[in-house]
Amino acid sequence: MTTITAEQAQALWDRLDTRFEQVQAVFEDCLAEARATLTPDGLMAWIDAARLLGKLGRGAEPMLALLEEWPATARSVGEDELPAVMALVHRLQRSPNGRAIAPFLQTLAAVARRLHAPEQFEHYLDIVRDLAERTTGSIHGHHTTHPSPGLPDFLDKAPVLLQLLSIGGLRNWVDYGIRNYHDHPERQKDYFSLQSADSRAVMQRERHGTLLADVERKLDLYLRGLWRDGDPLVPYSTAFHELRKPVPYFDKLGIRLPDVLDDRVLADGRVISGLDRYRAILAHMVGHRRWSSPQIADNWSPFQRMAVEFLEDCRIDTLVMREYPGLRCLILALHPKPDEGACDEATTACLRHRLALLSRAILDPQHGYRNPVLNDFVQRFHALMQDGEASTNEVARLAIEYVARTRRQSDQFANVHFDDTEVDYRDDNRHLWRFIEEGDEEEAFDERRTLEPDEELKGLPPRHYPEWDYHSQSFRPDWVSLYEALHPQGQASAIDTLLDKHAGTAKRLARILDLLKPQDKVRIRFQEEGSELDLDVAIRSLIDFKGGAQPDPRINMSHRTAGRDIAVTLLLDLSESLNEKVKGSEQTILELSQEAVSLLAWAIDRLGDPLAIAGFHSNTRHDVRYQHIKGFSEPWNDEVKGRLAAMEAGFSTRMGAALRHAGHYLGKRRADKKLLLVLTDGQPADIDVLDERALIEDAHQAVNELDREGIFTYCISLDPKADEYVSDIFGRHYTVIDHVERLPEKLPALFIALTK
């Protein structure tokens, strides 16, 4: 949306029509976030909905909750869900459950981020509505006069529950609580607040399989890395469809996958994990997106279309296994192996059974089927694929021939054989068909989305981190969205100039570093490539060569250090305040930080310790940016210097999420000592947090989490007033540098003192 002028912002405030001071204090921030997320119509609908909430007579809380939570909710499930949310709010307002409106709205964003899809979100609204209606009490039999005892507790715990359960599992858990504690208000509260043993036991019973929300990041990287496909993954639930279970599919909105998949136990005892099942589904669908072309369906019978789908699926699986042979075992394990004589053609339609047999025989050379027609078409299929990828048209012609060759009168029977014919890692093939004549079928299919070969993939999906609420002494789940990226590059020569400027300091450091370097080197012999020639082995190889024997090529040796084992991450606060000039100097704090970090990186490189450098800043909890400047495995070279030279400062300092993310990478290093150095010039703060203590307490909690993981955290603060708060975060593990201009010499010296 275009930028809103002051007059337009005032018009929106007038449209909101409220005098709540709490709302006025945050309206500008909420409007800025909404402007970046909502369409103009969605923005007006948001304002109108908030105005209605302000007229309910329930104070400022419902209006504040919607203003703050709806933009993030709309980002996850779409702004079209606002009418459904407001319909539920009106239903709660007309019942004794009006006090539950604020808790319902306050958890919307966390719930929506977990569910991620409009259909899932609507199922959640149905669950809330059902719980409210079935547990609202009655005295006279027909007037509901007592509010639901468990509804507020359920709404408070909903984000946590959805971290553990699928939406179907949540429905079953809620239904159990309603049925068993409908007439016991206190037990109902204990159940829905997860206080009772019964509640936790039922939750564990419903907690099964692999949740898509838990592995979405892995699958997204799998799609991008192996298949160069970046469409969003959209979950759907199989728990709300009794007659026909949904099947994976893709459309213009993304790739649709079940929200949970159980592990598959095979007949031979092997277990296929839910994650591997997701990978097989994605590989098959991406294969269709890459190699399939749509067919005109109007003149083909349902039997012919079914045959085309089976054989086109076989072509896609063949090409997928050709691209990545390691997928063969997974695909064959998930594909059913029907018994050749399982279908009685005298009483049952067996076309699906025959096509499943053909599909298995095409993919499995050891199928063991003896039907001559089946084996003939297996050979014809492989001959078609032998010279290349073939095409959907060619496979379709082969499928039509197979149907004509194997047609039976019993194929018209209503009783269809389904056992061992459903290949559940395959999608529903809606993308294969186009209809010329308008009809009901056409409305059911979305246009096929074609992935261009040179299409630029978007950045990595966000990582969600909890944030500590010191008032309730609990975590807000998935509260912060952190986006990581590789820092852009600048001119590496600028860093070389800075190092030349501090040549005197570098010489003094070099003498100290030579004393710190480990002297206990371990020689590694018999290396084809190494730092030195191993004379004994080289002479023996020369004798073998002159004697006519095969010489040993491993004539080099190298060394490794056995004394110093430390990994270091330097985390830089890149907030807006770094652009301020140092008192009495023309340099900014950012420029001095660049000099100090350059000297430190040079010093650590001379020591040989693994070092990672990253910077962070934030623009509300929805946009914490984490930029990689140097990785552990990267040498101190021009590429790293270029990133360091391009550092820019902006926005705010949400430190807790950055600490957790840096600890995520540092914790995976194998080292005796893991040191996380934080260089900052101010206290944790962000524009969407009014309580000054909130982010300080969260950063302190993050430091405690890292400490439990064996990561030593130390802060170097450039804020003269840091003594007022820095000890609350880092305890005694901090240093305040009052004279910022001395940072370039102080920072490397401090590191040396910490790692002696």
Side-chain angles (χ1 to χ4, degrees):
M1 185 176 176
T2 58
T3 304
I4 292 182
T5 64
E7 292 78 8
Q8 291 172 322
Q10 182 62 42
L12 291 174
W13 171 253
D14 294 339
R15 187 185 182 107
L16 189 61
D17 188 23
T18 183
R19 296 182 181 179
F20 291 125
E21 293 181 359
Q22 306 97 307
V23 175
Q24 187 173 11
V26 301
F27 181 70
E28 288 187 10
D29 293 337
C30 294
L31 183 60
E33 184 180 359
R35 190 175 67 244
T37 303
L38 305 176
T39 64
D41 290 342
L43 187 68
M44 292 303 177
W46 171 65
I47 292 289
D48 291 341
R51 184 182 66 218
L52 289 174
L53 291 174
K55 308 300 182 185
L56 294 181
R58 298 195 176 275
E61 283 301 314
M63 178 185 283
L64 275 174
L66 187 74
L67 290 174
E68 293 176 346
E69 299 294 321
W70 181 249
T73 305
R75 192 181 300 120
S76 297
V77 299
E79 60 185 38
D80 293 339
E81 295 302 313
L82 183 57
V85 170
M86 293 305 296
L88 181 53
V89 168
H90 290 154
R91 185 181 291 266
L92 293 175
Q93 172 68 7
R94 292 194 300 269
S95 73
N97 296 304
R99 291 185 179 180
I101 293 175
F104 166 65
L105 295 173
Q106 286 165 352
T107 55
L108 269 186
V111 167
R113 190 160 49 244
R114 193 68 185 172
L115 297 177
H116 194 62
E119 297 86 353
Q120 299 273 88
F121 187 70
E122 289 170 8
H123 290 323
Y124 169 75
L125 298 182
D126 291 339
I127 290 172
V128 175
R129 185 182 300 109
D130 186 54
L131 173 60
E133 291 177 353
R134 294 171 62 187
T135 57
T136 299
S138 170
I139 291 180
H140 301 293
H142 60 280
H143 295 298
T144 52
T145 54
H146 294 293
S148 167
L151 181 60
D153 295 298
F154 168 75
L155 294 171
D156 181 59
K157 295 295 184 182
V160 175
L161 288 164
L162 286 169
Q163 284 189 326
L164 304 173
L165 303 174
S166 66
I167 191 69
L170 181 67
R171 184 190 67 169
N172 295 337
W173 181 83
V174 169
D175 187 63
Y176 181 94
I178 295 173
R179 284 187 287 105
N180 289 276
Y181 301 113
H182 179 271
D183 297 326
H184 301 277
E186 293 303 320
R187 293 185 184 179
Q188 188 182 133
K189 285 178 61 66
D190 289 343
Y191 182 90
F192 287 108
S193 61
L194 289 175
Q195 297 299 313
S196 69
D198 197 13
S199 170
R200 293 190 291 271
V202 176
M203 182 183 68
Q204 290 298 328
R205 186 190 69 188
E206 295 297 333
R207 187 182 180 185
H208 62 90
T210 301
L211 297 182
L212 177 60
D214 290 336
V215 296
E216 181 180 0
R217 182 178 175 83
K218 292 182 180 178
L219 295 176
D220 185 85
L221 294 175
Y222 165 76
L223 268 184
R224 295 172 185 272
L226 268 66
W227 299 105
R228 295 198 57 77
D229 197 323
D231 258 19
L233 306 180
V234 183
Y236 63 80
S237 178
T238 58
F240 295 83
H241 300 79
E242 302 296 337
L243 297 178
R244 184 178 183 273
K245 297 292 183 184
V247 179
Y249 67 96
F250 60 87
D251 57 20
K252 60 186 178 182
L253 299 178
I255 298 175
R256 309 303 183 102
L257 298 172
D259 61 347
V260 60
L261 282 179
D262 291 323
D263 295 347
R264 174 72 58 80
V265 181
L266 305 179
D268 57 5
R270 287 182 297 158
V271 177
I272 306 296
S273 69
L275 178 59
D276 282 338
R277 292 181 65 192
Y278 276 123
R279 287 171 175 153
I281 294 172
L282 288 176
H284 184 80
M285 283 201 283
V286 172
H288 274 303
R289 291 155 70 92
R290 181 179 296 183
W291 292 301
S292 290
S293 57
Q295 304 294 299
I296 303 301
D298 296 78
N299 295 326
W300 287 0
S301 71
F303 292 157
Q304 290 172 327
R305 282 160 51 187
M306 186 193 305
V308 171
E309 290 179 5
F310 263 93
L311 264 71
E312 177 65 1
D313 284 337
C314 290
R315 182 176 79 93
I316 296 304
D317 285 344
T318 301
L319 293 173
V320 164
M321 292 187 294
R322 188 182 294 175
E323 182 95 0
Y324 294 107
L327 287 171
R328 175 176 294 276
C329 292
L330 178 59
I331 287 175
L332 289 180
L334 293 175
H335 194 293
K337 189 173 183 179
D339 184 356
E340 195 168 6
C343 184
D344 182 6
E345 293 187 352
T347 59
T348 309
C350 297
L351 179 61
R352 282 189 62 90
H353 178 253
R354 294 198 301 274
L355 289 171
L357 289 171
L358 178 61
S359 176
R360 178 73 195 196
I362 287 173
L363 300 179
D364 182 9
Q366 310 298 324
H367 58 83
Y369 299 139
R370 293 171 294 180
N371 186 292
V373 176
L374 180 144
N375 288 314
D376 176 47
F377 275 88
V378 169
Q379 293 176 4
R380 292 175 62 180
F381 178 89
H382 288 304
L384 189 65
M385 299 292 295
Q386 187 172 1
D387 298 328
E389 298 175 356
S391 68
T392 307
N393 292 334
E394 293 173 304
V395 168
R397 286 194 292 270
L398 185 65
I400 299 303
E401 291 181 35
Y402 180 77
V403 172
R405 182 90 171 268
T406 62
R407 183 180 300 153
R408 303 284 188 275
Q409 186 65 34
S410 60
D411 291 343
Q412 305 291 334
F413 290 172
N415 184 23
V416 179
H417 182 90
F418 276 95
D419 293 344
D420 290 331
T421 65
E422 297 182 64
V423 189
D424 58 9
Y425 68 84
R426 292 175 175 173
D427 58 285
D428 66 1
N429 287 314
R430 65 180 64 191
H431 55 276
L432 277 182
W433 306 111
R434 291 293 177 268
F435 295 86
I436 297 176
E437 297 181 5
E438 295 184 0
D440 294 337
E441 304 107 321
E442 191 178 44
E443 297 175 0
F445 302 128
D446 292 298
E447 292 183 5
R448 180 176 181 269
R449 187 243 192 221
T450 305
L451 182 68
E452 299 296 334
D454 58 346
E455 181 176 357
E456 181 181 355
L457 298 178
K458 296 180 181 179
L460 291 174
R463 290 185 69 93
H464 299 297
Y465 284 99
E467 193 167 88
W468 181 252
D469 181 359
Y470 75 102
H471 290 295
S472 65
Q473 293 294 296
S474 63
F475 283 104
R476 296 171 173 145
D478 288 348
W479 189 251
V480 178
S481 299
L482 183 144
Y483 295 84
E484 59 181 321
L486 192 64
H487 199 289
Q489 283 192 317
Q491 294 294 327
S493 57
I495 300 300
D496 292 327
T497 303
L498 293 179
L499 291 173
D500 292 339
K501 174 183 175 182
H502 295 279
T505 304
K507 286 182 180 179
R508 292 194 299 272
L509 282 174
R511 290 193 293 269
I512 301 173
L513 294 173
D514 288 338
L515 297 175
L516 282 178
K517 279 186 179 179
Q519 303 300 318
D520 46 344
K521 301 279 187 179
V522 176
R523 183 172 62 175
I524 305 174
R525 304 184 66 187
F526 299 102
Q527 303 290 305
E528 291 192 13
E529 296 181 0
S531 57
E532 297 179 30
L533 186 68
D534 192 335
L535 288 177
D536 291 340
V537 180
I539 292 172
R540 189 162 60 242
S541 295
L542 182 61
I543 294 171
D544 290 341
F545 175 72
K546 291 190 174 182
Q550 180 68 31
D552 190 342
R554 301 173 298 166
I555 62 173
N556 293 305
M557 63 180 177
S558 58
H559 297 84
R560 65 177 173 83
T561 301
R564 182 182 175 92
D565 189 12
I566 183 172
V568 184
T569 293
L570 178 59
L571 186 60
L572 308 176
D573 169 11
L574 298 180
S575 58
E576 177 65 32
S577 54
L578 264 71
N579 290 322
E580 298 176 4
K581 288 187 177 180
V582 178
K583 188 176 181 180
S585 171
E586 289 300 313
Q587 284 187 296
T588 63
I589 301 175
L590 178 64
E591 291 169 341
L592 285 170
S593 298
Q594 283 178 317
E595 295 179 10
V597 173
S598 301
L599 272 174
L600 178 63
W602 170 83
I604 296 177
D605 182 64
R606 287 198 45 131
L607 280 172
D609 295 333
L611 168 69
I613 305 175
F616 75 95
H617 54 218
S618 63
N619 183 22
T620 76
R621 66 185 177 92
H622 304 294
D623 187 12
V624 178
R625 304 176 190 180
Y626 187 98
Q627 295 177 310
H628 296 275
I629 298 172
K630 180 185 181 301
F632 285 110
S633 59
E634 285 186 289
W636 173 245
N637 56 18
D638 287 345
E639 199 170 328
V640 173
K641 292 176 185 176
R643 296 184 201 129
L644 196 58
M647 283 198 320
E648 294 181 353
F651 302 109
S652 305
T653 313
R654 207 174 198 106
M655 188 180 292
L659 287 170
R660 292 181 177 95
H661 195 62
H664 165 74
Y665 286 111
L666 184 56
K668 296 184 182 299
R669 298 293 300 179
R670 292 185 178 180
D672 291 339
K673 186 174 184 179
K674 300 171 185 177
L675 173 62
L676 176 56
L677 281 176
V678 183
L679 179 60
T680 181
D681 72 324
Q683 73 180 58
D686 210 340
I687 60 173
D688 60 340
V689 179
L690 301 179
D691 185 351
E692 290 186 1
R693 293 296 306 174
L695 294 185
I696 293 174
E697 295 292 340
D698 175 60
H700 173 65
Q701 185 69 21
V703 169
N704 289 341
E705 294 168 26
L706 296 176
D707 184 60
R708 289 193 293 269
E709 295 175 11
I711 297 174
F712 179 75
T713 308
Y714 198 93
C715 176
I716 301 100
S717 178
L718 309 179
D719 182 6
K721 300 179 181 179
D723 293 319
E724 299 174 4
Y725 62 84
V726 70
S727 61
D728 293 340
I729 301 175
F730 296 95
R732 297 181 179 180
H733 303 150
Y734 71 92
T735 296
V736 178
I737 299 179
D738 294 321
H739 301 286
V740 182
E741 63 275 9
R742 298 188 60 192
L743 178 63
E745 60 179 281
K746 286 272 190 179
L747 183 58
L750 181 61
F751 168 76
I752 291 170
L754 288 172
T755 57
K756 278 184 178 179

